[in-house]
Amino acid sequence: MIELIGEPVQVPPPVDWDKLREQLGIRLPSDYMELCRKYPSLNVDDFLGIFHPIEDAEGENLVSWAEDILGAAEDLIEEFPTLDLVPFSLYPVAGGLFPWGVTDNSDHLFWRTEGDPDTWTVVVAGHSYDKGAWWEFNGSLTDFVTGLITRELVCPVLAPDFPSPDAKIEQCPLP
């Protein structure tokens, strides 16, 4: 994936990975940590944003996004318990979903935190969270994004016109 992004436009501030691990209670995948060491926030084809641990200009980061997305998913489960809208457990339950990205359509991208972080799979939830709006990819975040950009992978939950034929990964400098 690094070959698709190019040289960094900004070297982001260093992330205190030990502090983040303590705060979250989990170690994050190595490929994600490498992206965050090398690049600021990333946006795929002006549609899919990848959260960064360092706050962006709006004051949001991986932790704040995770709190919002997990909180909203928990609210859905509580409000509509018989609909089974979330077919996976949510973090902090062992093996639960932890968000790493969002699309402009409010689709959510998660890691399934089962086992070694470097073997976590990617789970995509369509914005409606309806049955059939969930899809799991047996690979890493970088494998997933690379597959989308190179069109070797099609995610049935995401917009059918994503990515565009001339898709690129844009770097979004941090403050």
Side-chain angles (χ1 to χ4, degrees), residues 5 12-13 18 22 31 44 50 58 64 68 70 75 86 99 111-112 119 123 139 146 150 153 160-161 170 172:
I5 304 170
D18 292 331
E22 185 178 309
D31 67 327
V44 181
I50 300 172
E58 287 79 37
S64 65
D68 290 349
L70 292 172
D75 289 347
V86 182
W111 286 294
R112 189 172 188 186
T119 64
V123 174
T146 299
T150 61
L153 174 69
D161 59 347
E170 179 184 0
C172 307

Side-chain angles (χ1 to χ4, degrees), residues 15-28 32-33 36 52-54 61-63 91 98:
V15 175
D16 186 338
W17 294 107
D18 292 331
K19 181 178 177 183
L20 187 60
R21 182 178 187 170
E22 185 178 309
Q23 181 181 8
L24 297 175
I26 53 174
R27 178 178 69 82
L28 297 171
Y32 173 77
M33 291 190 294
C36 294
H52 198 286
I54 303 295
N61 63 12
L62 175 71
V63 174
Y91 179 80
F98 188 87

Side-chain angles (χ1 to χ4, degrees), residues 9 18 29 41 58 85 107 118 130 145 153 171:
V9 296
D18 292 331
S41 296
E58 287 79 37
L85 294 174
D107 308 304
D118 292 332
D130 286 341
V145 173
L153 174 69
Q171 301 175 48

Side-chain angles (χ1 to χ4, degrees), residues 18-137:
D18 292 331
K19 181 178 177 183
L20 187 60
R21 182 178 187 170
E22 185 178 309
Q23 181 181 8
L24 297 175
I26 53 174
R27 178 178 69 82
L28 297 171
S30 299
D31 67 327
Y32 173 77
M33 291 190 294
E34 182 61 27
L35 282 178
C36 294
R37 280 185 196 102
K38 188 164 183 141
Y39 296 105
S41 296
L42 299 173
N43 190 291
V44 181
D45 200 27
D46 202 27
F47 179 72
L48 187 159
I50 300 172
F51 308 142
H52 198 286
I54 303 295
E55 285 187 358
D56 62 19
E58 287 79 37
E60 296 186 340
N61 63 12
L62 175 71
V63 174
S64 65
W65 274 103
E67 289 170 351
D68 290 349
I69 290 170
L70 292 172
E74 288 168 359
D75 289 347
L76 273 177
I77 292 168
E78 288 176 21
E79 191 170 340
F80 304 104
T82 60
L83 295 182
D84 194 28
L85 294 174
V86 182
F88 297 91
S89 58
L90 299 172
Y91 179 80
V93 172
L97 300 182
F98 188 87
W100 58 261
V102 67
T103 70
D104 286 355
N105 289 348
S106 296
D107 308 304
H108 296 152
L109 297 102
F110 299 90
W111 286 294
R112 189 172 188 186
T113 62
E114 194 167 66
D116 182 320
D118 292 332
T119 64
W120 290 352
T121 58
V122 170
V123 174
V124 182
H127 68 278
S128 66
Y129 276 39
D130 286 341
K131 290 184 181 188
W134 292 83
W135 185 73
E136 187 168 10
F137 171 70

